[in-house]
Amino acid sequence: MFDKCVLCPRYCKVNRDKGEFGYCKCGNKMIIARYSLHKWEEPCLSGDIGSGTIFFSGCNMKCVYCQNYEISVLRYGRSVSVGEFCYMCLDLQNNGAKNINLVTGVMYIPLIVQGIKLAREKGLRIPIVYNSSGYESIEGLKLLEGIVDIYLPDFKYFDDKLGLKYSNVRDYNKYAIMAIKEMYRQVGRNKFDKDGIMIRGVIVRHLILPGCGDDSKKVIKYLYNNYKDNIYLSIMNQYTPVRKINIDELDRKIDNDEYDEIINYAYDLGVRCAYIQEEGTQSKSFIPNFEEFRAIE
């Protein structure tokens, strides 16, 4: 699909095999910024040892407040082959990872599919998590059917005005709704092993942004009305301004009253299958370090 790329809803249709670049600025080689055990995902993904996260370089959204700016925009990382990616997956499994957690991999879906198939031939047995912004095309997601066991998408905005302002996306709501529907079709209701580790299902994350509480309520209401307890929600208070972006309302953290209001709204609505965060998550210490990797020119 690199010769006329429609892997995401930007539908750039550039020929990445011939050196053309679309919005994400990614070519036809997989660029990885980091792979490691990560203990700070949802408890059913991290367990005691951690989720085997693989951070891909580049992004099809590039939100102005992105905490991983070094890899989403500056594209820190290094080029790896499908074989090297396969090795990373097996190495994480050998070190006790509960799953392979693919972070923002939409730009490389065809290569990911090849790599996971090869890794499974060589003994990969743990679940595959697809960790996504939620801005996905159905064409791209269909390639992942039978590959991904757990979908972990964001649902960032209900109001497309916010999507345009903060992520330069005019149609986020439409595609996030379609993407989550397709994800749920593929993997169905959540399933857990005897230790409470998720082995199949959907968790939808929503990061509350300063001053956007009403939009957060709309996101939560939509998800609960359409999926009830068949999926999990992850309602996050960890927004942290990591650099000056000249948008005044985003230059602060969420306060406790704002967060409590959203949690109480969700509970009153009937939401029970959800993760919430305690104080202390609004810290740069939760952001992975990418400085050890070189920037891609």
Side-chain angles (χ1 to χ4, degrees), residues 64-65 165-166 209-212 239-243 245-253:
V64 294
Y65 52 82
K165 184 175 184 180
Y166 297 148
L209 296 175
C212 296
Y239 173 77
T240 303
V242 293
R243 64 188 183 284
I245 56 176
N246 297 318
I247 299 179
D248 291 342
E249 67 267 26
L250 295 183
D251 193 27
R252 67 174 179 88
K253 298 178 181 180

Side-chain angles (χ1 to χ4, degrees), residues 111-143:
L111 300 175
I112 286 171
V113 170
Q114 291 178 34
I116 295 299
K117 287 181 176 179
L118 180 60
R120 284 177 171 165
E121 290 174 4
K122 294 182 178 295
L124 185 68
R125 296 290 178 265
I126 55 179
I128 305 301
V129 180
Y130 187 73
N131 188 331
S132 158
S133 69
Y135 193 56
E136 304 279 340
S137 72
I138 301 302
E139 294 93 331
L141 289 175
K142 285 187 180 296
L143 296 178

Side-chain angles (χ1 to χ4, degrees), residues 102 105-106 108-110 112-113 116 120 128 130 136-149 151 182-183 186-187:
L102 308 171
V106 59
Y108 309 109
I109 286 176
I112 286 171
V113 170
I116 295 299
R120 284 177 171 165
I128 305 301
Y130 187 73
E136 304 279 340
S137 72
I138 301 302
E139 294 93 331
L141 289 175
K142 285 187 180 296
L143 296 178
L144 295 170
E145 188 164 7
I147 299 294
V148 170
D149 303 287
Y151 279 104
E182 172 63 16
M183 293 170 180
Q186 289 185 21
V187 299

Side-chain angles (χ1 to χ4, degrees), residues 24 56-63 66-76 104 243:
C24 68
F56 294 92
S57 180
C59 185
N60 65 330
M61 289 196 70
K62 303 177 185 175
C63 306
C66 182
Q67 295 181 339
N68 294 339
Y69 178 82
E70 291 85 358
I71 63 171
S72 64
V73 177
L74 300 182
R75 293 183 296 132
Y76 282 29
T104 317
R243 64 188 183 284

Side-chain angles (χ1 to χ4, degrees), residues 59-280:
C59 185
N60 65 330
M61 289 196 70
K62 303 177 185 175
C63 306
V64 294
Y65 52 82
C66 182
Q67 295 181 339
N68 294 339
Y69 178 82
E70 291 85 358
I71 63 171
S72 64
V73 177
L74 300 182
R75 293 183 296 132
Y76 282 29
R78 62 182 179 86
S79 176
V80 303
S81 67
V82 167
E84 288 177 292
F85 170 72
C86 165
Y87 167 79
M88 291 178 180
C89 294
L90 294 171
D91 187 45
L92 289 167
Q93 177 176 264
N94 291 339
N95 281 283
K98 299 298 183 183
N99 43 63
I100 301 300
N101 188 344
L102 308 171
V103 184
T104 317
V106 59
M107 304 80 60
Y108 309 109
I109 286 176
L111 300 175
I112 286 171
V113 170
Q114 291 178 34
I116 295 299
K117 287 181 176 179
L118 180 60
R120 284 177 171 165
E121 290 174 4
K122 294 182 178 295
L124 185 68
R125 296 290 178 265
I126 55 179
I128 305 301
V129 180
Y130 187 73
N131 188 331
S132 158
S133 69
Y135 193 56
E136 304 279 340
S137 72
I138 301 302
E139 294 93 331
L141 289 175
K142 285 187 180 296
L143 296 178
L144 295 170
E145 188 164 7
I147 299 294
V148 170
D149 303 287
I150 299 166
Y151 279 104
L152 183 61
D154 294 336
F155 195 146
K156 294 179 181 291
Y157 319 106
F158 201 85
D159 186 343
D160 279 333
K161 292 179 182 178
L162 294 177
L164 181 60
K165 184 175 184 180
Y166 297 148
S167 300
N168 194 30
V169 174
R170 296 180 180 276
D171 47 15
Y172 181 85
N173 176 289
K174 169 186 172 181
Y175 283 102
I177 285 174
M178 290 195 302
I180 293 169
K181 183 177 180 180
E182 172 63 16
M183 293 170 180
Y184 183 74
R185 183 194 69 79
Q186 289 185 21
V187 299
R189 296 182 63 181
N190 294 339
K191 296 180 181 178
F192 303 83
D193 68 13
K194 60 182 177 59
D195 297 318
I197 299 298
M198 181 176 280
I199 57 176
R200 195 166 182 84
V202 178
I203 303 174
V204 181
R205 287 174 167 173
H206 176 69
L207 176 67
I208 300 171
L209 296 175
C212 296
D214 288 343
D215 196 66
S216 293
K217 292 176 181 178
K218 292 176 183 177
V219 168
I220 293 167
K221 184 177 181 179
Y222 169 81
L223 291 170
Y224 183 69
N225 284 349
N226 284 273
Y227 297 98
K228 300 300 182 185
D229 293 331
N230 294 319
I231 66 172
Y232 267 65
L233 306 187
S234 184
I235 306 172
M236 306 165 74
N237 70 348
Q238 69 186 50
Y239 173 77
T240 303
V242 293
R243 64 188 183 284
K244 188 65 178 176
I245 56 176
N246 297 318
I247 299 179
D248 291 342
E249 67 267 26
L250 295 183
D251 193 27
R252 67 174 179 88
K253 298 178 181 180
I254 299 293
D255 64 45
N256 292 338
D257 289 341
E258 284 178 289
Y259 188 59
D260 288 346
E261 180 180 345
I262 302 301
I263 299 306
N264 290 336
Y265 172 83
Y267 189 86
D268 291 343
L269 194 64
V271 174
R272 295 297 183 271
C273 293
Y275 290 104
I276 62 175
Q277 293 181 314
E278 298 178 347
E279 293 182 52

